[in-house]
């Protein structure tokens, strides 16, 4: 198998329209207004790539594409329409079939959890996700640099949040080395992270992170597995949706080896609602997407953008999309008319019909197509009737989905979160160690202060006793000069007894224990 049958074109729709597998990595565009058949086109292309042994990754925005996991039904209400169309376009191999599917869900509800780490996402994509200003993006870049230099792995959101706290506390020293680090910028990033966390975006970050090999699997029968990302709930956070898919493209670009011009793609990636990727995107991000689109085909990856208007995709990227399926466009506004004219101009002209008129008038399940031919030359535009799908048209039940997840080849691999030592734990340990050191220093200082006070008190007591002894001796000498010697001896004995009692009393108290540890030793040594 070296080609994919897409539908029938020409007079009476009897001219087969094929997408050559060896040009499947030259990217593509599926465009058209709502309700014109884009989803079915995506479905039949995914089926065909899978049957050819090519793994597929696609996002399921409406939930309809889960039907790929279940065979179509000859008793279904569309069976007659499907068989009639297959006969019209000469699709003699038409039959119903199911395909090997792996369900993924960022929230872990409708499929296997899918995660990456903060460090793998990187500051550029994370800044886009958080919609940071240039100054805030600069601070985030500094945080990533600190993470690398100090061995503080950024795995989940709490790692980044704790590192930003550290960056804010050390902003003065960091500013001298990396440039201005304002606490206002740190606070703004923390608020953006809090919003992301409240939206459930924290589930995207952590471990175990996605292994690319798990979306590039083939089954024992040789068919490529179709990875379906549940995106109906994810679409409530369009920036998160677009950033995650762009991250996945970037990872494929960075990790996969060069393969040149393979006979068929290593992976085909369908990016539904592609306009979300480019809406309000900074030039740096658009440039990155263009770079990835231009170079990733040498890694054997084909990227197909699915959107309503061709002008949703920047012109530099649009020019790299060699395989095109243009469903109907409704030119109700000036923007629609401009998009229609642009779409018509990007096709190789066909003298049999006017392309602009055809794009306005094609019916549901019909499109103007153009696929690369020999030597990569764009094929002539054809008005094509798209072939019917072999799998179920529409979603499967929740129970059927759950059973497929349970029996998946990767069941149990990503479900349990692993929280290994990273920036959060390391910074927490540093803070605890610093607190212990501070407590120990404070205790030492307090002990030294207590020792000084204890020594001063003892010296005052000695002074009092000496003064008292002197006064007693003088009074005794005044009364009887002959008894002065014995009186002095008696007084000395009395003084010694009093001192012994006083010292013993002190030794039984807290002050005494401090004296034993250091004060008396110093006094005796001095004497």
């Amino acid at each position: 198998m070296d080609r994919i049958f897409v539908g029938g074109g020409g007079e009476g729709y009897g001219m087969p329209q094929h997408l050559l597998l060896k040009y499947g990595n030259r990217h593509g565009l599926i465009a058209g207004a709502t309700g014109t058949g884009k989803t079915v086109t995506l479905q039949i292309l995914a089926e065909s790539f899978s049957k050819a042994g090519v793994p597929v990754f696609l996002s399921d925005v409406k939930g309809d594409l889960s039907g790929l996991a279940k065979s179509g039904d000859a008793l279904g209400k569309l069976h007659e329409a499907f068989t009639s169309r297959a006969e019209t376009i000469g699709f003699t191999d038409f039959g119903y079939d199911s395909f090997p599917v792996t369900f993924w869900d960022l929230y872990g509800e409708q499929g296997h959890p899918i995660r990456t780490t903060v460090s793998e996402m990187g500051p550029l994509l994370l800044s886009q996700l958080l919609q940071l200003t240039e100054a805030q993006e600069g601070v985030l870049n500094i945080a990533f640099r600190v993470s690398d230099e100090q061995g503080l792995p950024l795995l989940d959101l709490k790692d980044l949040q704790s590192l930003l706290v550290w960056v804010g506390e050390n902003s003065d020293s960091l500013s001298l080395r990396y440039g201005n680090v304002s606490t206002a910028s740190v606070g703004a990033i923390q608020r953006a992270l809090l919003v992301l966390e409240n939206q459930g975006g924290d589930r995207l970050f952590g471990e175990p992170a996605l292994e690319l090999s798990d979306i590039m699997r083939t089954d024992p029968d040789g068919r490529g597995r179709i990875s379906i990302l549940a995106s109906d709930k994810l679409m409530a956070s369009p920036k998160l949706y677009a950033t995650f898919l762009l991250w996945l493209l970037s990872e494929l670009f960075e990790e996969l080896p060069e393969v040149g011009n393979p006979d068929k793609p290593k992976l085909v990636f369908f990016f539904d609602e592609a306009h979300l990727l480019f809406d309000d995107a900074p030039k740096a991000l658009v440039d990155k997407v263009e770079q990835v689109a231009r170079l990733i085909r040498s890694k054997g990856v084909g990227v197909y953008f699915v959107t309503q208007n061709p002008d949703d995709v920047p012109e530099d990227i649009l020019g790299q999309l060699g395989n095109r399926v243009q469903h109907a466009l409704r030119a109700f506004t000036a923007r629609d008319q401009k998009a229609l004219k642009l779409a018509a101009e990007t096709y190789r002209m066909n003298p049999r019909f006017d392309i602009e008129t055809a794009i306005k008038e094609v019916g549901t399940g019909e499109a103007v197509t153009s696929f690369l031919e020999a030597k990569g030359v764009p094929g002539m535009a054809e008005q094509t009737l798209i072939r019917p799908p072999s799998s179920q048209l529409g979603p499967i039940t929740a129970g059927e989905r759950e059973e497929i997840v349970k029996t998946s080849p990767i069941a149990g691999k990503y479900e349990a979160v692993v929280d290994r030592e990273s920036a959060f734990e390391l910074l927490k340990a540093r803070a605890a160690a610093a607190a212990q050191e501070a407590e120990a220093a404070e205790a030492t200082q307090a002990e030294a202060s207590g020792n000084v006070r204890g020594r001063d008190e003892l010296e005052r007591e000695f002074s009092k006793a000496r003064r008292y002894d002197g006064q007693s001796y003088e009074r005794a000498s005044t009364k009887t000069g002959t008894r002065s010697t014995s009186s002095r001896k008696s007084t000395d004995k009395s003084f010694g007894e009093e001192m012994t009692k006083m010292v013993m009393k002190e030794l039984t108290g807290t002050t005494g224990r401090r004296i034993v540890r250091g004060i008396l030793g110093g006094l005796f040594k001095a004497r």
Side-chain angles (χ1 to χ4, degrees):
M1 179 178 180
D2 64 348
R3 60 189 60 202
I4 289 174
F5 178 71
V6 178
E11 296 291 339
Y13 303 114
M15 184 184 300
Q17 299 300 302
H18 293 102
L19 189 160
L20 299 179
L21 278 174
K22 66 179 180 179
Y23 296 130
N25 64 331
R26 298 291 185 92
H27 311 323
L29 174 71
I30 303 172
T34 301
T36 56
K38 296 192 304 296
T39 301
V40 176
T41 297
L42 194 163
Q43 184 169 342
I44 66 106
L45 288 177
E47 290 178 355
S48 300
F49 278 118
S50 174
K51 196 174 287 187
V54 178
V56 174
F57 187 96
L58 55 86
S59 53
D60 189 6
V61 173
K62 295 179 289 185
D64 294 344
L65 293 170
S66 61
L68 282 159
K70 188 175 181 180
S71 175
D73 188 358
L75 300 178
K77 62 181 181 180
L78 293 175
H79 173 68
E80 186 176 340
F82 284 172
T83 53
S84 174
R85 176 172 293 201
E87 184 178 349
T88 299
I89 62 179
F91 188 24
T92 57
D93 294 335
F94 174 65
Y96 294 116
D97 198 2
S98 61
F99 294 84
V101 165
T102 303
F103 289 112
W104 300 91
D105 184 5
L106 186 146
Y107 301 103
E109 298 170 356
Q110 300 182 66
H112 304 290
I114 188 166
R115 307 180 192 88
T116 182
T117 64
V118 172
S119 58
E120 287 177 343
M121 177 70 73
L124 176 62
L125 291 181
L126 197 56
S127 297
Q128 168 67 8
L129 174 59
L130 300 176
Q131 297 180 284
L132 302 182
T133 65
E134 185 176 348
Q136 293 159 5
E137 183 179 349
V139 172
L140 189 62
N141 273 278
I142 292 172
F144 272 77
R145 174 64 68 85
V146 169
S147 166
D148 292 337
E149 292 182 350
Q150 299 204 16
L152 299 170
L154 297 176
L155 304 182
D156 51 28
L157 278 193
K158 70 177 186 296
D159 288 328
L160 181 56
Q161 289 166 333
S162 59
L163 180 60
L164 285 168
V165 170
W166 187 91
V167 167
E169 292 172 344
N170 296 272
S171 58
D172 291 342
S173 59
L174 292 174
S175 295
L176 293 174
R177 181 173 181 184
Y178 300 110
N180 185 42
V181 178
S182 71
T183 53
S185 292
V186 172
I189 299 172
Q190 293 282 41
R191 288 193 297 273
L193 289 173
L194 181 62
V195 172
L196 178 63
E197 190 173 9
N198 290 339
Q199 293 176 347
D202 57 321
R203 301 187 189 183
L204 171 61
F205 300 104
E207 290 186 319
L210 174 69
E211 293 182 17
L212 295 181
S213 59
D214 285 330
I215 64 170
M216 301 183 69
R217 289 174 173 259
T218 54
D219 266 19
D221 61 4
R223 294 186 300 174
R225 290 195 71 85
I226 303 173
S227 292
I228 300 179
L229 176 66
S231 303
D232 47 348
K233 184 177 178 181
L234 186 57
M235 288 302 294
S237 305
K239 284 292 181 185
L240 181 59
Y241 168 79
T243 305
F244 169 74
L245 292 183
L246 182 54
W247 164 79
L248 188 52
L249 272 181
S250 299
E251 284 295 293
L252 290 167
F253 170 67
E254 292 174 6
E255 297 295 329
L256 296 181
E258 296 277 344
V259 295
N261 295 308
D263 294 333
K264 61 183 180 183
K266 299 296 182 184
L267 175 73
V268 170
F269 188 101
F270 289 93
F271 200 136
D272 201 0
E273 299 294 340
H275 66 92
L276 295 174
L277 179 60
F278 305 106
D279 287 349
D280 302 320
K283 186 177 184 304
L285 184 63
V286 175
D287 289 345
K288 184 174 180 62
V289 177
E290 181 186 351
Q291 178 193 36
V292 170
R294 185 174 65 253
L295 300 177
I296 200 171
R297 70 183 187 186
S298 65
K299 308 293 184 83
V301 178
V303 182
Y304 289 72
F305 295 94
V306 184
T307 189
Q308 291 195 13
N309 289 305
D311 66 350
D312 290 334
V313 182
E315 189 173 349
D316 289 340
I317 298 173
L318 191 64
Q320 299 178 46
L321 310 182
N323 301 298
R324 303 192 180 191
V325 180
Q326 177 66 62
H327 289 273
L329 284 177
R330 312 305 182 198
F332 297 125
T333 66
R335 180 183 183 275
D336 292 339
Q337 293 172 2
K338 182 179 178 181
L340 176 61
K341 183 176 179 63
L342 174 65
E345 290 175 349
T346 58
Y347 282 89
R348 179 180 166 190
M349 302 302 294
N350 188 326
R352 289 190 292 102
F353 64 92
D354 179 69
I355 295 176
E356 187 172 339
T357 302
I359 292 175
K360 285 191 295 184
E361 297 178 353
V362 289
T364 301
E366 197 174 0
V368 174
T369 63
S370 174
F371 303 106
L372 295 177
E373 297 178 344
K375 298 182 180 180
V377 175
M380 189 176 294
E382 288 292 348
Q383 194 167 332
T384 302
L385 194 62
I386 304 299
R387 77 160 180 86
S390 298
S391 55
Q392 176 175 297
L393 192 63
I396 59 176
T397 66
E400 290 169 332
R401 180 191 288 264
E402 185 177 352
E403 184 61 28
I404 292 172
V405 172
K406 285 181 179 178
T407 58
S408 166
I410 59 170
K413 181 175 181 179
Y414 294 100
E415 276 67 20
V417 177
V418 176
D419 189 12
R420 64 184 174 95
E421 186 177 68
S422 50
F424 174 77
E425 290 78 15
L426 293 171
L427 288 171
K428 185 177 179 181
R430 283 189 190 180
Q436 288 180 352
E437 289 179 6
E439 185 178 348
E442 184 178 351
T444 302
Q445 184 178 2
E447 183 176 340
S449 177
N451 289 343
V452 170
R453 286 196 300 272
R455 184 173 60 189
D456 290 344
E457 290 171 3
L458 189 57
E459 287 178 345
R460 281 195 297 272
E461 293 296 334
F462 271 106
S463 298
K464 284 181 182 179
R466 286 178 180 137
R467 284 197 301 273
Y468 173 78
D469 178 50
Q471 291 168 2
S472 298
Y473 173 76
E474 288 173 2
R475 285 195 296 269
S477 298
T478 303
K479 292 180 179 179
T480 61
T482 58
R483 295 176 56 190
S484 61
T485 303
S486 60
S487 297
R488 182 173 181 180
K489 289 181 180 179
S490 176
T491 304
D492 287 342
K493 182 178 179 181
S494 175
F495 169 72
E497 289 174 351
E498 291 298 325
M499 278 301 302
T500 301
K501 289 178 183 179
M502 183 183 71
V503 170
M504 291 304 295
K505 182 179 178 180
E506 288 295 322
L507 289 175
T508 60
T510 303
T511 304
R513 287 193 293 271
R514 289 201 298 264
I515 292 171
V516 169
R517 287 196 297 265
I519 299 302
L520 288 180
L523 290 174
F524 291 152
K525 184 177 180 181
R527 295 175 67 183

